[in-house]
Amino acid sequence: MRHPGEARAPWRVALGNIIFNNDTPAGRAFDLVLIVLIFVSILVVMLDSVGSIRATYGPLFEWAEWVLTLIFTVEYVLRLISARHATHYATSFFGVVDLLSILPGYLDLLLPGANYLLIVRVLRLLRIFRILKLARYLNEASVLTEAMRASAAKITVFLAVVLTLVTIIGALMYVIEGPANGYTSIPTSIYWAIVTLTTVGFGDITPKTPLGKGLASLAMILGYGILAVPTGIVTVSLSRAQGRRQPQQPQRTCPRCGLQGHDADARYCKRCGELLPGSS
Amino acid sequence: MRHPGEARAPWRVALGNIIFNNDTPAGRAFDLVLIVLIFVSILVVMLDSVGSIRATYGPLFEWAEWVLTLIFTVEYVLRLISARHATHYATSFFGVVDLLSILPGYLDLLLPGANYLLIVRVLRLLRIFRILKLARYLNEASVLTEAMRASAAKITVFLAVVLTLVTIIGALMYVIEGPANGYTSIPTSIYWAIVTLTTVGFGDITPKTPLGKGLASLAMILGYGILAVPTGIVTVSLSRAQGRRQPQQPQRTCPRCGLQGHDADARYCKRCGELLPGSS
Amino acid sequence: MRHPGEARAPWRVALGNIIFNNDTPAGRAFDLVLIVLIFVSILVVMLDSVGSIRATYGPLFEWAEWVLTLIFTVEYVLRLISARHATHYATSFFGVVDLLSILPGYLDLLLPGANYLLIVRVLRLLRIFRILKLARYLNEASVLTEAMRASAAKITVFLAVVLTLVTIIGALMYVIEGPANGYTSIPTSIYWAIVTLTTVGFGDITPKTPLGKGLASLAMILGYGILAVPTGIVTVSLSRAQGRRQPQQPQRTCPRCGLQGHDADARYCKRCGELLPGSS
Amino acid sequence: MRHPGEARAPWRVALGNIIFNNDTPAGRAFDLVLIVLIFVSILVVMLDSVGSIRATYGPLFEWAEWVLTLIFTVEYVLRLISARHATHYATSFFGVVDLLSILPGYLDLLLPGANYLLIVRVLRLLRIFRILKLARYLNEASVLTEAMRASAAKITVFLAVVLTLVTIIGALMYVIEGPANGYTSIPTSIYWAIVTLTTVGFGDITPKTPLGKGLASLAMILGYGILAVPTGIVTVSLSRAQGRRQPQQPQRTCPRCGLQGHDADARYCKRCGELLPGSS
């Protein structure tokens, strides 16, 4: 949908092909360089958080962060220039992520040492998915997404039941065990109930009284059975989502009424009775 | 089933429609306000259990609890008045839950500081389900419930085997490890066996002797395999429960060639082109 | 298969019906009493292992144990007398379990305070299954058993892979972390690897070095994926085992060739072409 | 594919049959002895790592290791001699594993006490799989492998999502909890996120702040749901891989009434009794 007034210059179209597509060697090289730079920037953020490494390489990391911020800034500007619609891009999900990738570098000047900017830097990882989106995993990911969407309502019901269960078990344990045994409040007890029902079991809070251990045992066996439900939901959905993908042969269209979706062994249109193409 | 003698006054019918149904704007607004109030009351109970918050907002929470108890009391009375059969409502599951929602407020006057009344307050959460019951998740929930009921017998067998296993493993660990290593009694050892077999693994009690570690390893690998059984049971049940929901129309046979397995929307035989029975 | 020489006295046949069957009121009453006694005896063993309870009720438990041992001895003798073949019964699985139920009581006289006799007492729990075997859960249990047997070979392959994996990961962690960090020997490290791969995660031994944490992370993600395999195996087997049970209508037999296993809609024998009974 | 120039001497062919095949009594005996020796060598490595056992049996273990290394060396040389193509064997996967089985013994002379050689010794375990490969589990293993390969792309997508999730959760927890609560760096926090999301839950690092506990609760419920995805993927793949193994014979159609869907063993049409094509 090209607006007549904004015919892009040929160099902008060429640049857009390199940056936004990956079906040319230049486009693939651009994506590859970008992936490497994103991983390097994530690695820098990670290593910089390790005290002993920062003590030695701190200045190097700061320098690398600046270089990466500059490169990502240039990339952002190029994307803005070469995008078909600059505002569409700037307000899209990945446009916002791209902007978030460069902001922390500049905000550091205003708010030095702001720790929470770390998170924003880690969000650069999301940019990887833009590139993966174009790759051969697209189809697989869409089967998974479809299965997830199909079972969303069931999983919501399931979550409502689990959250109610966890609240009631948490309140019971708070009354049974009490603050003396580590169940300092109902929210803390609910946290414990979640840790237990999901079979994570940190062990930072554990029941001490016989009654508490009995209730915990019940909760664990319940959690064991409950674990089966989301697995069952997703398996059935996945089985269906994949089943629908199965008929990979070309669709035949009835020459008279235009109906599609004929079975592989059909010779006549099931709606109007016309002989189908490819049937003898 | 209306008894002739108790024709309800029109205002009671109108009130009943607002309170018990949600197909009018007034009914939906009533439900929405109720959900918010229930969540607020649960939130008050939770926050009141956190020592540092209670120290500051304790009086506010007490006041809020009183206001909520009064509102829920009015609601309970209105439900009693507007219900088609007051006794039916009062003895129904949700009628009892509604009564339990307001009792702790008044019992607090008689038994100040009774900690276990907390639990009763948390049970207010169950009232949410009355409203959800009327919502679009009904169908999904019924598929889950049906799958659960279908596999109840299998899960009972499974639970009997697990409980026997857990008792025997617990007794073995009690003898092998003994009270010195934390396995203070057979019930405690059974609690440990449940913690281990369900893969929760708190770590409050762990085997110390080589023999104990060996038996624990066996139990864990066993638990790993056993975890698969309820998942398999629920998945198969869910797959069937969902399959049954698909419309089961009768099979039509082509009067000329005898082919079966026609789609629901087929009007002509897909093999010979004959008009199918039941098609116009 | 009755040997001609040993026609049992009528009272022995009647006794056998009460003890071994449960299709008469007397048989059902006998089973019920037995189940209660077994649970009582297990409860006595459990409570007796709790120090504080034994301190108070120790003599009572000893007395109860003696009474129960005497009752079970009488029951064992009655079973021996009324069984169709006394030696068959005595050497059968449940015959041995029945004998093991009474031995500890008498061995206690010879070896007072022998702790390991506890285990033998707990094995009484297995006797419950004899009675359950006759109950309505038989069919469900057999579907589970069949699914298990069908997937035995696959689970063996899976276990071999898991045990190899666990050995290699354990040896690696022993070298990386070493005895100083709790990985005191390769068997201990393998125990840790099993704790980790089965997602139990006690936390009694945890990696301390960065390399160890990295390997542990890999092992956990691997374990996550591996957890899926036995679940998949059992689900598929269960789905098949249940599918085979599905045709619950009475089997029809071909009157000419005797073939069974005809489809519900079959009118003629598929082997010899004879009209099947029940077809018009 | 025999090269004309290298006709093997008959004794080399006979030796090769014993060593590489297991369809003769001698071949089976050879395999059995080898399995026992491999397990003994693994056992020696394991027990030698336990301080208290090494203190007593250290010299015995050293002696056993030498004997086993010599036997495995002779075996390796025999395999080289009797292999159809010595270089093919030497560069194959199992050829390298066989070489790795004997190297540590000799390297110990050059680098005494090198701990990491332990790992190489444990790799001997892989040699078991060569022998299992020839056994009856081959078919089962190939179904599992096929199911794994079929779902590789989906599992890759899944892993990418999980790794991104774990990185973002780890960074968030590092900012929320900080080094004071055990989240000493982002890599450590990511390790914690993996421990939590895979429901292992060691408990060596646990959230202390309310916000951290809240995020951890979210992560655990998320992990609970995510656990369902690989299970679903593998179950569906396994179900398909096993389905494909079922014989796929062509559909037969009754020549008189046109019915399809006949069983593989059917000789007559089950609806009209006509002789089916392909039946004698």
Side-chain angles (χ1 to χ4, degrees), chain B residues 122-141:
Chain B
V122 167
L123 288 182
R124 281 175 189 162
L125 207 52
L126 292 177
R127 305 181 68 205
I128 297 289
F129 282 90
R130 185 214 323 255
I131 297 156
L132 283 183
K133 223 174 81 172
L134 303 165
R136 69 186 172 100
Y137 293 114
L138 177 65
N139 185 44
E140 300 299 337

Side-chain angles (χ1 to χ4, degrees), chain B residues 167 186, chain C residues 33-49 61-72 75 100-102 104 117-128:
Chain B
T167 308
I186 291 185
Chain C
V33 169
L34 204 58
I35 287 182
V36 170
L37 288 177
I38 292 168
F39 275 121
V40 166
S41 88
I42 297 289
L43 203 71
V44 165
V45 171
M46 281 190 189
L47 294 178
D48 194 40
S49 75
F61 290 152
E62 219 164 292
W63 177 85
E65 184 60 39
W66 267 111
V67 171
L68 287 164
T69 299
L70 285 177
I71 294 174
F72 290 150
E75 183 217 337
L100 285 175
S101 296
I102 54 175
L117 289 176
L118 267 178
I119 301 307
V120 186
R121 276 191 190 129
V122 168
L123 288 182
R124 281 174 189 162
L125 207 53
L126 292 177
R127 305 180 69 205
I128 297 288

Side-chain angles (χ1 to χ4, degrees), chain A residues 27-270:
Chain A
R28 269 193 292 275
F30 180 85
D31 279 355
L32 198 68
V33 169
L34 204 58
I35 287 181
V36 169
L37 288 177
I38 291 167
F39 275 121
V40 167
S41 87
I42 297 289
L43 203 72
V44 165
V45 170
M46 280 188 189
L47 294 178
D48 194 41
S49 75
V50 183
S52 59
I53 298 180
R54 186 176 46 227
T56 320
Y57 299 103
L60 177 69
F61 290 152
E62 219 165 292
W63 177 85
E65 184 59 39
W66 268 112
V67 170
L68 286 163
T69 299
L70 284 178
I71 294 174
F72 290 152
T73 308
V74 170
E75 184 218 337
Y76 184 65
V77 171
L78 288 180
R79 281 189 191 271
L80 274 180
I81 291 173
S82 67
R84 216 165 279 227
H85 298 93
T87 48
H88 277 202
Y89 163 69
T91 55
S92 72
F93 175 70
F94 281 118
V96 172
V97 169
D98 289 347
L99 184 61
L100 285 174
S101 295
I102 54 175
L103 275 188
Y106 300 108
L107 286 173
D108 250 359
L109 295 179
L110 304 169
L111 311 145
N115 211 1
Y116 54 84
L117 289 176
L118 268 177
I119 302 307
V120 187
R121 276 192 189 127
V122 167
L123 289 182
R124 281 176 189 160
L125 207 53
L126 292 177
R127 304 181 70 206
I128 297 288
F129 283 89
R130 187 216 322 258
I131 297 157
L132 284 182
K133 223 175 81 174
L134 303 165
R136 69 187 172 101
Y137 294 115
L138 178 65
N139 186 44
E140 300 299 339
S142 80
V143 169
L144 285 179
T145 315
E146 196 182 313
M148 283 299 171
R149 202 173 312 124
S151 48
K154 258 189 222 66
I155 285 177
T156 307
V157 172
F158 175 73
L159 273 184
V161 172
V162 165
L163 288 181
T164 307
L165 214 61
V166 148
T167 308
I168 290 171
I169 292 173
L172 275 170
M173 288 303 279
Y174 173 68
V175 171
I176 292 172
E177 292 277 331
N181 291 329
Y183 296 78
T184 50
S185 66
I186 292 185
T188 301
S189 297
I190 290 174
Y191 159 76
W192 174 87
I194 292 173
V195 166
T196 303
L197 226 69
T198 57
T199 78
V200 170
F202 282 134
D204 50 348
I205 310 168
T206 51
K208 301 286 183 299
T209 64
L211 192 57
K213 285 182 179 175
L215 181 60
S217 299
L218 268 179
M220 282 181 269
I221 289 176
L222 205 68
Y224 205 66
I226 279 179
L227 195 65
V229 175
T231 306
I233 292 172
V234 170
T235 303
V236 170
S237 289
L238 209 56
S239 174
R240 267 147 209 263
Q242 213 160 52
R244 268 193 295 279
R245 293 289 165 108
Q246 219 54 359
Q248 292 284 27
Q249 78 252 348
Q251 282 289 329
R252 287 183 299 170
T253 309
C254 171
R256 197 201 294 169
C257 73
L259 186 76
Q260 286 191 319
H262 298 287
D263 293 342
D265 61 341
R267 294 184 58 220
Y268 292 92
C269 174
K270 64 184 180 181

Side-chain angles (χ1 to χ4, degrees), chain C residues 214-226:
Chain C
L215 182 60
S217 299
L218 268 178
M220 283 181 267
I221 289 177
L222 207 66
Y224 205 67
I226 279 179

Side-chain angles (χ1 to χ4, degrees), chain D:
Chain D
M1 226 180 68
R2 196 76 103 60
H3 293 283
E6 53 156 354
R8 293 186 301 163
W11 66 269
R12 281 173 64 188
V13 173
L15 189 65
N17 278 339
I18 292 172
I19 293 180
F20 287 101
N21 298 337
N22 73 344
D23 43 15
T24 60
R28 269 192 292 277
F30 180 85
D31 279 354
L32 198 68
V33 169
L34 204 59
I35 287 181
V36 169
L37 288 177
I38 291 167
F39 274 121
V40 166
S41 88
I42 297 289
L43 203 72
V44 165
V45 171
M46 280 189 189
L47 294 178
D48 193 40
S49 76
V50 182
S52 59
I53 298 180
R54 185 176 47 227
T56 319
Y57 299 103
L60 177 69
F61 290 153
E62 219 164 291
W63 178 84
E65 184 59 39
W66 266 112
V67 170
L68 287 164
T69 299
L70 284 178
I71 294 175
F72 290 151
T73 307
V74 170
E75 184 218 338
Y76 184 65
V77 171
L78 288 180
R79 281 189 191 270
L80 273 181
I81 291 173
S82 67
R84 216 164 278 224
H85 297 94
T87 49
H88 277 201
Y89 163 69
T91 56
S92 72
F93 174 72
F94 281 118
V96 172
V97 169
D98 289 346
L99 184 61
L100 285 173
S101 295
I102 54 175
L103 275 187
Y106 301 108
L107 285 173
D108 250 358
L109 294 179
L110 304 169
L111 311 145
N115 211 2
Y116 54 84
L117 289 175
L118 269 178
I119 302 307
V120 187
R121 277 193 188 125
V122 168
L123 289 182
R124 281 175 190 161
L125 207 53
L126 292 177
R127 304 181 69 205
I128 298 288
F129 282 89
R130 186 216 321 260
I131 297 156
L132 284 182
K133 223 175 79 172
L134 302 165
R136 69 186 171 100
Y137 294 116
L138 177 65
N139 185 43
E140 299 299 339
S142 80
V143 169
L144 285 180
T145 316
E146 195 182 313
M148 283 298 170
R149 203 173 311 123
S151 47
K154 256 187 224 67
I155 284 175
T156 307
V157 172
F158 175 73
L159 273 184
V161 171
V162 165
L163 288 180
T164 307
L165 214 62
V166 148
T167 308
I168 291 171
I169 292 173
L172 274 169
M173 289 303 280
Y174 172 68
V175 171
I176 292 172
E177 293 277 331
N181 291 329
Y183 297 78
T184 50
S185 66
I186 291 185
T188 300
S189 297
I190 291 174
Y191 159 76
W192 174 86
I194 292 173
V195 166
T196 303
L197 227 68
T198 56
T199 78
V200 171
F202 282 134
D204 50 348
I205 309 168
T206 51
K208 301 287 183 299
T209 64
L211 192 58
K213 285 182 180 175
L215 181 61
S217 299
L218 268 178
M220 283 180 269
I221 289 177
L222 206 67
Y224 204 66
I226 279 179
L227 195 64
V229 175
T231 306
I233 293 172
V234 171
T235 303
V236 171
S237 289
L238 209 56
S239 175
R240 267 147 210 266
Q242 214 160 52
R244 268 194 295 280
R245 291 293 165 109
Q246 315 265 309
Q248 291 274 33
Q249 78 259 345
Q251 281 288 328
R252 287 181 299 169
T253 309
C254 171
R256 197 201 294 169
C257 76
L259 186 76
Q260 287 190 320
H262 299 287
D263 293 342
D265 61 343
R267 293 184 58 219
Y268 292 92
C269 174
K270 63 183 180 181
R271 188 163 63 198
C272 68
E274 180 76 16
L275 191 74
L276 287 173
S279 307
S280 55

Side-chain angles (χ1 to χ4, degrees), chain A residues 154 164 171-172 186 190 196 199-203 224 229 231-233 236 240 263 265 267-268 270-273, chain B residues 46 49 119 129 140 148 199-202 223 226-227 231 235 238 242 246 263 265-268 270-273:
Chain A
K154 258 189 222 66
T164 307
L172 275 170
I186 292 185
I190 290 174
T196 303
T199 78
V200 170
F202 282 134
Y224 205 66
V229 175
T231 306
I233 292 172
V236 170
R240 267 147 209 263
D263 293 342
D265 61 341
R267 294 184 58 220
Y268 292 92
K270 64 184 180 181
R271 187 162 64 195
C272 67
Chain B
M46 280 189 188
S49 76
I119 301 308
F129 282 90
E140 300 299 337
M148 284 298 171
T199 79
V200 171
F202 282 135
I226 279 179
L227 195 65
T231 306
T235 303
L238 209 56
Q242 215 161 50
Q246 315 264 309
D263 292 342
D265 60 343
R267 295 183 57 220
Y268 292 92
K270 62 184 180 181
R271 187 162 65 199
C272 69

